[in-house]
Amino acid sequence: MKQQDHQTRERLLVIARDHFARYGYSGTNLEQIGRQAGVSRGPLYYYFKNKKELYLAVMQEEMVRLRAQYLAIFEGEDPIDVKLRKDIVFCSSHESLLRQAGLGGKGEPVVSEIHELYEQIYQLKKQACIQAQQRHELRMDADPDEMVELLYIYVFGLNEVKRNAFSFISKHPLEQYADQFVDLFLARYGTPKLP
């Protein structure tokens, strides 16, 4: 693929991602995407033969990007408290298209690989907790699955509060929410600090 073709394809993917996130699969119009990208209908079909193919390409890119971000957070040598803070800030500041799409709702194609990706992410988090136990950052008797589930509950709850913009809940920076969670998490699962 020539450089110009590659750039056009990438531009179409970026614009399509925005449209799918904003309007959903059924509300996304290929002609609008093409017009925004400066591409007529014919050349648009040169890159993607239909909306389903474009959608699946967008979802594949999103999965690659998300996997890379989680690997960067959880495979490093940071202590568990730093990893947890990074995860909470990332998950709460980044609205993944995968959370709202790809599961076959509202007429959209099913992207079966999403479930595999979610399982891989869960396992990355669990492995990080196990490694933290081995480094004596977390109690050895603590259940790694329980720790990861608590992290998920907190992040999904925080995202729900953000999404619904409850006016009676004060708005703190994400970092402050992350710090509060990590403090609670370490109080429950952390190893006692020696004086």
Side-chain angles (χ1 to χ4, degrees), residues 49-66:
K49 65 182 176 186
N50 54 38
K51 181 163 71 168
K52 179 180 179 181
E53 186 176 289
L54 175 59
Y55 178 78
L56 293 174
V58 167
M59 297 304 279
Q60 290 299 321
E61 279 207 352
E62 183 78 357
M63 287 188 291
V64 167
R65 192 174 59 74
L66 202 58

Side-chain angles (χ1 to χ4, degrees), residues 26 53 77 79 104 168:
S26 61
E53 186 176 289
E77 293 299 318
F168 54 88

Side-chain angles (χ1 to χ4, degrees), residues 54-168:
L54 175 59
Y55 178 78
L56 293 174
V58 167
M59 297 304 279
Q60 290 299 321
E61 279 207 352
E62 183 78 357
M63 287 188 291
V64 167
R65 192 174 59 74
L66 202 58
R67 182 180 288 113
Q69 182 64 42
Y70 280 109
L71 287 172
I73 292 171
F74 285 101
E75 285 198 333
E77 293 299 318
D78 289 332
I80 193 68
D81 62 319
V82 173
K83 290 178 180 182
L84 293 173
R85 281 184 184 91
K86 287 179 181 179
D87 182 46
I88 292 168
V89 171
F90 172 69
C91 290
S92 301
S93 62
H94 168 266
E95 188 59 41
S96 172
L97 179 60
L98 300 178
R99 281 193 202 136
Q100 55 186 308
L103 304 176
K106 300 178 185 171
E108 69 195 29
V110 173
V111 183
S112 59
E113 298 93 343
I114 289 176
H115 295 289
E116 294 171 26
L117 174 62
Y118 287 154
E119 179 63 28
Q120 291 170 3
I121 292 169
Y122 183 94
Q123 292 303 323
L124 272 173
K125 294 179 183 194
K126 181 178 176 179
Q127 190 58 39
C129 289
I130 292 169
Q131 290 170 348
Q133 287 175 311
Q134 293 166 348
R135 290 191 307 262
H136 305 289
E137 297 173 48
L138 299 175
R139 291 188 350 255
M140 289 299 292
D141 64 334
D143 179 8
D145 285 307
E146 179 185 307
M147 291 186 271
V148 175
E149 288 166 12
L150 181 63
L151 177 60
Y152 273 97
I153 290 167
Y154 185 79
V155 167
F156 279 104
L158 184 57
N159 284 335
E160 191 62 26
V161 167
K162 277 180 37 196
R163 192 174 1 270
N164 290 306
F166 295 119
S167 60
F168 54 88

Side-chain angles (χ1 to χ4, degrees), residues 6-33:
H6 180 72
Q7 290 172 341
T8 301
R9 184 179 189 283
E10 291 303 309
R11 187 168 63 248
L12 285 167
L13 287 169
V14 168
I15 293 167
R17 184 201 183 283
D18 180 57
H19 281 249
F20 287 127
R22 197 177 289 180
Y23 309 115
Y25 181 78
S26 61
T28 295
N29 181 294
L30 287 183
E31 288 183 33
Q32 290 176 341
I33 292 170

